Amino acid sequence: MIETEVEELVRRLINDLPERCRTVFLLNRQEGLSSREIAEALSLSESTVRVQIKIAVDRIVAGIRTHYPDLKLVSLLLFLFTARF
């Protein structure tokens, strides 16, 4: 049950990301594109892509922590890096 709730929360948090940040995050996590591939596709630097992914992960983690402060960080990170959105 909590997994479904967390998945829905993560979807909402992803949808609330700024457009470029959301696009980069989803291309990386959903499509499995590398930073280099995303950079080429969106005409961005690889550094910008990495920063956007970090911003996305930081915001998602912070949002989840607000709702589930006792959720272990390891569980949260495993979820973020294995889930498909």
Side-chain angles (χ1 to χ4, degrees):
M1 173 107 164
I2 192 168
E3 186 175 319
T4 304
E5 292 173 11
V6 172
E7 284 180 20
E8 181 55 36
L9 175 59
V10 170
R11 282 189 191 93
R12 285 195 318 264
L13 292 167
I14 290 170
N15 287 334
D16 289 344
L17 292 170
E19 184 177 349
R20 180 171 65 174
C21 189
R22 181 178 59 248
T23 300
V24 167
F25 179 79
L26 291 174
L27 285 172
N28 180 253
R29 295 300 191 268
Q30 221 172 28
E31 304 299 324
L33 297 180
S34 69
S35 295
R36 171 177 262 159
E37 292 168 322
I38 296 168
E40 290 174 3
L42 300 180
S43 299
L44 300 170
S45 71
E46 283 185 63
S47 176
T48 296
V49 169
R50 286 191 297 272
V51 167
Q52 292 298 305
I53 292 170
K54 181 179 181 342
I55 289 169
V57 170
D58 288 349
R59 286 186 179 191
I60 293 166
V61 168
I64 292 172
R65 289 253 175 208
T66 299
H67 291 83
Y68 300 97
D70 296 329
L71 194 61
K72 294 201 179 281
L73 183 59
V74 172
S75 299
L76 180 57
L77 290 174
L78 284 173
F79 176 78
L80 283 175
F81 289 103
T82 59
R84 295 288 179 207
F85 305 101

